Amino acid sequence: MIEFEGVRKTYPDGTTAVDGIDLTIPAREITVLVGSSGCGKTTLLRMVNRMIDPTAGTVSIDGEDVGSLDPVRLRRRIGYVMQNGGLLPHRSVLDNITTVLRLNRVPRAQARARGLELMDTVSLDRGLASRYPAQLSGGQQQRVGVARGLASDPNILLMDEPFGAVDPIVRAELQRELLRVHRELAKTIVFVTHDIDEAFLLGDRVVILRTGGVIAQQGTPAEILAHPADDFVAGFIGADSGQRRLRVVERDGARIVVDRHDRPVGLLDADTPAHSDRR
Amino acid sequence: MTWILANLGLIGDLMLVHLRLSLIPVVVSILVAVPLGRLAHRVGWLRGGVLSVVGLLYTIPSLALITLLPPLLGTPVLSDVNVLVALGLYGVALLTRSVADAFDAVDADVVRSAMAVGYTPLRRFWTVELPLAVPVIVAGTRVVAVSTVSLVTVGALVGSRNLGSLFTDGLQRGIVPEIVAGIVATVVLALVLDLVIAAVGRALTPWARVSGTSGAARRASRRRAHRAEVPGTAAEDAVTGGGAA
Amino acid sequence: MSVFLEGIAWLFSPDRLSGPNPLPERLAEHLGYTLLALVIAAVIAVPLGYLIGHTGRGRDLAVGLSGAARALPSLGLLFVLTLLVGIGDAPVAATIVFVVLGIPPILAGAYAGFESVDRRVVDAARSVGMTPLQVALRVEAPLGLPLLIAGVRSAALQIVSTAVLAAYVNLGGLGIYLQRGIQLRSYDEMIGGAIVVVLLAFAIDGFFALLQRLCTPAGVRVAGGAAQTTRGRRHRRPATPRGAAQ
Ligand SMILES: Nc1ncnc2c1ncn2[C@@H]1O[C@H](COP(=O)(O)OP(=O)(O)OP(=O)(O)O)[C@@H](O)[C@H]1O
Ligand SMILES: [Mg+2]
């Protein structure tokens, strides 16, 4: 569980990227931070592994204030995946995946074996192991990024627009795979995107941020779809445009969530989370 | 031609001396410019100052710098030390900028991802940023090496014995082939050194050789390395290099 | 250090205006060589550079040329040409050498200036109906001007430096003080001369720096200049997060 308490971040140039956020991110679920460009998603995410320190407030993992932890060691036990993979261009695919393991002094042979396993996990052909990142397609690079994020078997995986730079088809494929990996490994995933469809597709919980770094609404996709908190959220999720993949309809007196093809994917106003049978 | 054939031993001897006089300042300038350029890259407010100073240094004509050094260093006027120090200063002036550019050119996302993975800052420098900066630094070093070899000859005017001695001697005695031999030997030396440094650079950066499919980053880095080779374009900001002769 | 004071004293001695080598005369000589060679080099290199930049052809040749020029020892070049044309025609030999040294940086500046212009801007200019010549003169040339001037600045410094060596083929210039100073061991003259040479180089550098600034189109300056495109790249933020914990 990751908790933000009264977290604020003001950069030296005076920009306030995150303004007093209280947020609890449950363990073993996918929580998606969504919002338009510049609303502080990346800043919020990076405060978890202390790439950025908050100006005020605390971030804690399982009750432990990250501010009190050594940043380098903290980062080695949290997976981080960024747009374009952020791969080291001068290291082979396998070396990239095993970086954290090697940093944690795992013996070379063992790290290698684990790296190859991870390539299987993210459906990468093992034959690519000795290639350099520049020799891979964008989608493959992204898979390497995910494998690297998973390498140290972290409890937490932070993903910053990981699928932002690939075409829609590869993107859909990567999204499906992420859901599969999550089903298998059940990590706590914090996923940043500015694509509301992606947020609703992947998120157990979705947190919508608005410019200035404040939370506009949070909840399950179904809750947000059913009750947009205000006009901003309604506009952002396109509730009025009817173009969402998911929307809410009334059928036989019950309110249910349906996808683009009118197939029911969940039941609102029920005890179980509406979307849980979607997978 | 007869002069050259009769003096092959002398030419070879001078080439060796010349090589030594060139290598020392090149090596020293790498050792000084890498930390200095890194500093300029890291510390925003220092950057402008450092680069202006080295830029100004580079505008000083070589003979003037060589003659101004003895009172500053306490060396005799006719000492190789003055030549070595002057050339070292030019090397630092040229290379500091390349180094700063080289570190600027390292993809910020790559640096961030190394940070996110849990590299300590020191390790990140040695295993990520420095290796990725190598192509541009090598390009800068090649420029420094070539111009240093050529500038050493000016030292002959203050009594330094090197290939430039063939120029002064040839002028005095009116022997055209002697001067031509000196020019050719200097150019050959510069060329060989250039090729050697380029080869070392290639050996250090095996990843830069792959024929990838999505090589946009590689093309960009080659473009940057290329730019370092063109004197006019390296001088995009306030500071211009290209003075010393 | 006292040698510096002697050098300065030498500089301000009344002999500088009268003696056998009056300073204003030598300075004028030095500037004359520089200016003449710079103009000739520019007349040759600017059109050629624009052609390379506009067509994109011959670029590798030009790059190779400027590399080779760096390897050429200007002292040897000056001496051998002087011997070949005869010491009586030394000014011709010297001018040729200066021009040869001045061409590569100007060439590089000219084509780099053209190349630095955003291709989308060129396309936009074409799309509004500019002829190729109009594109070259109204878009590429003005936007590439700062880089061209950077090239001219390099060339000017190169020539000023090399002109110091002209004294060794009896052409005077400011180098004569250095030559005499070293030969006659009159160190005040040597230091004084060196100081004047350095000041001249700084002045020329400063002049072109100013010119470069004035010639940067206002819109480009507002956007942060050419440096922004090379350094800022895709990110609007500093390379490493400033507030970051290390
Ligand atoms: N290092 C920094 N210095 C100054 N301001 C910054 C810095 N990093 C981010 N900002 C500013 O803080 C705000 C939030 O930035 P952040 O990167 O967190 O947004 P984001 O939601 O991730 O945007 P995007 O979708 O474009 O990635 C923006 O206004 C940004 O310009
Ligand atoms: Mg972001």
Side-chain angles (χ1 to χ4, degrees):
Chain A
M1 189 172 69
I2 306 169
E3 282 170 299
F4 292 82
E5 283 175 73
V7 169
R8 188 161 51 79
K9 176 67 194 181
T10 304
Y11 286 106
D13 66 356
T15 317
T16 295
V18 168
D19 200 3
I21 280 193
D22 293 301
L23 176 65
T24 300
I25 293 174
R28 300 185 181 279
E29 288 190 3
I30 300 182
T31 300
V32 179
L33 307 178
V34 63
S36 45
S37 193
C39 68
K41 306 180 295 290
T42 299
T43 305
L44 204 54
L45 193 72
R46 288 190 178 155
M47 288 194 280
V48 176
N49 69 350
R50 288 199 63 189
M51 298 208 5
I52 296 174
D53 281 332
T55 315
T58 57
V59 181
S60 53
I61 297 175
D62 296 332
E64 199 176 14
D65 181 359
V66 296
S68 66
L69 303 173
D70 172 51
V72 168
R73 252 185 290 155
L74 176 72
R75 289 172 199 151
R76 288 184 192 175
R77 62 180 178 88
I78 295 180
Y80 191 98
V81 184
M82 62 205 301
Q83 193 176 342
N84 298 318
L87 302 177
L88 305 180
H90 59 311
R91 296 287 175 77
S92 72
V93 165
L94 193 62
D95 285 346
N96 263 287
I97 295 175
T98 57
T99 321
V100 197
L101 298 174
R102 298 293 294 144
L103 286 172
N104 284 334
R105 303 223 160 80
V106 174
R108 183 175 293 275
Q110 201 179 322
R112 240 188 102 77
R114 170 97 179 106
L116 290 170
E117 265 171 44
L118 281 163
M119 291 184 74
D120 299 340
T121 306
V122 298
S123 309
L124 264 178
D125 183 23
R126 287 187 177 206
L128 302 175
S130 60
R131 292 217 191 161
Y132 288 111
Q135 295 169 296
L136 301 183
S137 72
Q140 288 169 331
Q141 290 184 20
Q142 220 44 71
R143 287 168 195 271
V144 176
V146 174
R148 181 176 67 177
L150 292 170
S152 63
D153 198 18
N155 291 324
I156 298 173
L157 191 58
L158 308 176
M159 309 183 81
D160 192 355
E161 296 189 39
F163 310 145
V166 292
D167 68 65
I169 295 174
V170 175
R171 187 174 187 151
E173 196 180 314
L174 290 169
Q175 289 167 343
R176 271 199 304 279
E177 298 244 357
L178 181 67
L179 288 172
R180 173 180 63 75
V181 169
H182 182 244
R183 252 196 326 271
E184 287 169 10
L185 307 176
K187 305 286 180 199
T188 304
I189 295 180
V190 189
F191 191 104
V192 164
T193 181
H194 51 238
D195 176 352
I196 189 72
D197 284 326
E198 187 169 64
F200 284 159
L201 177 73
L202 297 175
D204 294 305
R205 295 184 63 78
V206 172
V207 180
I208 299 178
L209 296 168
R210 78 170 96 223
T211 313
V214 290
I215 296 177
Q217 186 174 6
Q218 54 172 314
T220 64
E223 282 164 11
I224 293 174
L225 278 162
H227 310 287
D230 53 25
D231 289 348
F232 169 79
V233 175
F236 191 77
I237 66 177
D240 34 6
S241 71
Q243 287 182 351
R244 291 279 71 83
R245 284 190 195 159
L246 299 178
R247 64 207 154 76
V248 180
V249 293
E250 296 232 4
R251 249 179 231 170
D252 309 327
R255 294 197 302 157
I256 56 172
V257 179
V258 297
D259 69 10
R260 205 170 11 203
H261 309 291
D262 278 345
R263 280 192 298 257
V265 293
L267 184 65
L268 267 187
D269 316 320
D271 291 337
T272 47
H275 60 295
S276 60
D277 50 2
R278 187 171 92 229
R279 313 244 154 96
Chain B
M1 212 51 215
T2 42
W3 184 92
I4 295 176
L5 289 176
N7 290 280
L8 278 179
L10 173 69
I11 297 173
D13 180 39
L14 287 177
M15 271 178 103
L16 278 182
V17 179
H18 199 102
L19 182 64
R20 194 180 66 90
L21 285 176
S22 312
L23 282 182
I24 295 171
V26 171
V27 171
V28 169
S29 47
I30 295 173
L31 293 180
V32 176
V34 169
L36 202 59
R38 172 73 182 174
L39 199 70
H41 159 79
R42 288 289 297 188
V43 189
W45 55 269
L46 262 179
R47 185 193 177 88
V50 169
L51 294 185
S52 306
V53 169
V54 297
L56 215 54
L57 196 63
Y58 197 64
T59 62
I60 300 178
S62 51
L63 191 60
L65 184 57
I66 293 173
T67 49
L68 281 174
L69 283 175
L72 287 176
L73 302 174
T75 44
V77 171
L78 303 181
S79 157
D80 273 353
V81 174
N82 304 319
V83 179
L84 290 175
V85 172
L87 295 178
L89 286 173
Y90 285 133
V92 169
L94 263 174
L95 205 52
T96 300
R97 194 194 178 82
S98 294
V99 172
D101 285 347
F103 282 113
D104 290 346
V106 174
D107 192 337
D109 275 345
V110 171
V111 176
R112 271 192 219 110
S113 85
M115 189 177 168
V117 164
Y119 275 91
T120 58
L122 197 67
R123 187 156 182 167
R124 194 175 72 208
F125 172 77
W126 284 108
T127 59
V128 179
E129 294 187 69
L130 188 59
L132 291 177
V134 160
V136 180
I137 295 178
V138 165
T141 306
R142 290 172 65 183
V143 173
V144 169
V146 169
S147 53
T148 301
V149 169
S150 141
L151 277 173
V152 167
T153 57
V154 175
L157 299 179
V158 289
S160 170
R161 189 172 162 278
N162 58 59
L163 286 172
S165 312
L166 298 178
F167 305 159
T168 46
D169 191 64
L171 182 73
Q172 226 158 45
R173 294 159 57 190
I175 309 174
V176 171
E178 182 173 1
I179 303 179
V180 171
I183 294 176
V184 171
T186 309
V187 171
V188 166
L189 205 59
L191 214 68
V192 169
L193 205 56
D194 185 48
L195 290 177
V196 168
I197 297 172
V200 170
R202 268 198 304 280
L204 286 176
T205 57
W207 65 89
R209 256 174 296 158
V210 301
S211 50
T213 45
S214 55
R218 214 158 14 81
R219 275 192 297 280
S221 100
R222 197 162 48 220
R223 222 167 23 242
R224 276 189 295 269
H226 206 60
R227 194 166 40 226
E229 286 170 31
V230 183
T233 46
E236 295 193 15
D237 294 334
V239 196
T240 317
Chain C
M1 283 320 250
S2 68
V3 189
F4 274 111
L5 296 181
E6 283 167 33
I8 291 168
W10 174 88
L11 254 182
F12 287 101
S13 140
D15 291 352
R16 295 293 74 71
L17 295 176
S18 53
N21 277 311
L23 189 55
E25 218 166 279
R26 297 292 161 258
L27 183 65
E29 252 167 23
H30 207 108
L31 275 175
Y33 293 140
T34 305
L35 204 65
L36 176 67
L38 198 62
V39 168
I40 298 176
V43 165
I44 298 172
V46 172
L48 212 58
Y50 276 0
L51 203 66
I52 294 172
H54 189 67
T55 62
R57 258 178 300 180
R59 187 183 195 286
D60 289 336
L61 189 75
V63 172
L65 212 71
S66 66
R70 208 175 298 124
L72 271 182
S74 39
L75 186 69
L77 217 56
L78 180 66
F79 284 4
V80 80
L81 264 179
T82 304
L83 277 189
L84 287 178
V85 301
I87 201 91
D89 283 328
V92 178
T95 306
I96 292 175
V97 172
F98 300 158
V99 169
V100 164
L101 294 175
I103 285 177
I106 300 181
L107 198 65
Y111 73 65
F114 259 62
E115 282 178 358
S116 73
V117 180
D118 192 335
R119 283 302 102 189
R120 284 169 304 185
V121 173
V122 174
D123 287 344
R126 252 202 249 116
S127 75
V128 299
M130 286 196 189
T131 65
L133 190 68
Q134 282 170 328
V135 172
L137 294 181
R138 295 201 194 161
V139 179
E140 290 173 311
L143 286 177
L145 196 57
L147 277 182
L148 171 64
I149 294 175
V152 176
R153 181 176 171 186
S154 281
L157 289 169
Q158 181 79 44
I159 295 173
V160 161
S161 294
T162 313
V164 175
L165 309 178
Y168 285 84
V169 287
N170 297 330
L171 288 181
L174 293 172
I176 194 148
Y177 304 121
L178 299 176
Q179 185 213 14
R180 279 169 44 91
I182 294 165
Q183 228 156 45
L184 310 175
R185 293 175 195 265
S186 55
Y187 294 141
D188 57 340
E189 182 168 6
M190 180 183 89
I191 297 290
I195 291 175
V196 181
V197 169
V198 172
L199 290 180
L200 178 63
F202 283 176
I204 289 179
D205 190 48
F207 169 76
F208 281 104
L210 203 68
L211 201 62
Q212 223 170 317
R213 196 166 271 236
L214 291 178
C215 290
T216 307
V220 179
R221 220 167 355 184
V222 170
Q228 198 66 42
T229 53
T230 59
R231 223 176 294 135
R233 286 174 305 144
R234 298 179 289 117
H235 299 278
R236 46 189 185 201
R237 303 173 208 136
T240 35
R242 283 289 140 76
Q246 290 301 302

